[in-house]
Amino acid sequence: GGERCPMATVAGQLIAHRLGRAYGPDNSETALHRSLSGPLEGLETDVCLTADGQLVLLHDPLLSLGTTLSGWAHERTLDELLDCSLLDSDGEPAGEPPLTLDQLLEAAPLDLIVQVEVKAQSNPELARRTAAAICDRFAHSRQRERLEVISFHTDACEVAAASGFRTRLVIWADYAPEMLVGWALRRGLTGVKVEHFLLSDQLVGLLRAAGITVSTGTINDVDLLEEVLRAQPRCITTDRPHELREEAV
């Protein structure tokens, strides 16, 4: 109930989660095109490293969870991956291959933030190599300034931060926040992505006092959005950016 908050109070940044998963298969061209069809401040996607060192957009490194292939993304070449199909929300072949990170960046206007989440199942060394591949590929590219490397893997975050890229750790627990802040400052991280149910005044205040920016996700409900706005996050990820924006006005 009550009046909705103008979207101007969302710090101006709604980020399409998995390129807008409400609009098509996760990280798909279909989802991307729908997200780009209306107002948007950024895109969030998941990146896996292939056997031949390429960067492909897949939410799950275990291929059977999101594609018509089996095995693991890092065991397949890019050509093999581009020959498969993504699965739709019903688990059926969607008839479209995965995108590469290069394809996404070519399609997305340069004024959009692009958050790239490093995915590597229980494999810190693979997480480091994936982050290093991103940094090496775009070290001297005009894309660098709008890229933000994010991950649950501290190893990936440390590699990206050491390479001078904007870097954000994703956290699902608020254990020992003072230690988190100390680590982030030592390693040169620029931000932390905090799941919305952890956005307490204490945690947010501690991060901000240290100069660490706070973002959150995934928010699909307007009532939850209004609660989250109290913390004034830098950006909010959502599966349905256009509908959430309209509902919030």
Side-chain angles (χ1 to χ4, degrees), residues 202-224:
Q202 177 187 9
L203 178 60
V204 172
L206 189 65
L207 291 166
R208 288 225 175 93
I212 298 169
T213 66
V214 177
S215 69
T216 193
T218 298
I219 307 297
N220 293 319
D221 181 87
V222 70
D223 292 318
L224 183 56

Side-chain angles (χ1 to χ4, degrees), residues 24-26 28 30 63-69 84-97:
D26 289 351
S28 65
T30 297
L63 295 171
S64 58
L65 296 179
T67 78
T68 52
L69 285 178
C84 81
S85 172
L86 296 172
L87 302 181
D88 63 20
S89 58
D90 296 321
E92 298 297 325
E96 58 180 305

Side-chain angles (χ1 to χ4, degrees), residues 147-166:
L147 281 173
E148 183 173 68
V149 179
I150 69 174
S151 189
F152 287 97
H153 296 278
T154 55
D155 296 85
C157 291
E158 290 181 355
V159 166
S163 297
F165 278 69
R166 284 199 298 274

Side-chain angles (χ1 to χ4, degrees), residues 23-151:
Y23 308 141
D26 289 351
N27 299 310
S28 65
E29 186 175 12
T30 297
L32 173 62
H33 284 171
R34 174 71 187 280
S35 287
L36 293 179
S37 70
L40 194 68
E41 285 74 46
L43 299 157
E44 184 267 357
T45 191
D46 308 278
V47 174
C48 294
L49 189 67
T50 68
D52 49 347
Q54 301 303 307
L55 297 162
V56 65
L57 308 188
L58 292 168
H59 179 260
D60 296 291
L62 182 59
L63 295 171
S64 58
L65 296 179
T67 78
T68 52
L69 285 178
S70 59
W72 297 91
H74 69 273
E75 298 172 340
R76 298 278 193 167
T77 66
L78 180 61
D79 284 344
E80 288 179 290
L81 290 163
L82 295 182
D83 277 341
C84 81
S85 172
L86 296 172
L87 302 181
D88 63 20
S89 58
D90 296 321
E92 298 297 325
E96 58 180 305
L99 292 169
T100 65
L101 182 54
D102 284 329
Q103 287 174 317
L104 167 61
L105 294 174
E106 287 176 13
L110 271 173
D111 60 342
L112 293 187
I113 300 163
V114 178
Q115 294 182 333
V116 180
E117 181 172 344
V118 171
K119 288 295 183 75
Q121 178 69 35
S122 306
N123 190 333
E125 190 271 335
L126 179 58
R128 286 193 293 271
R129 287 198 291 119
T130 305
I134 295 167
C135 296
D136 290 346
R137 190 171 192 88
F138 299 104
H140 305 292
S141 166
R142 64 176 183 165
Q143 303 286 352
R144 175 176 178 151
E145 290 307 308
R146 52 98 160 251
L147 281 173
E148 183 173 68
V149 179
I150 69 174
S151 189

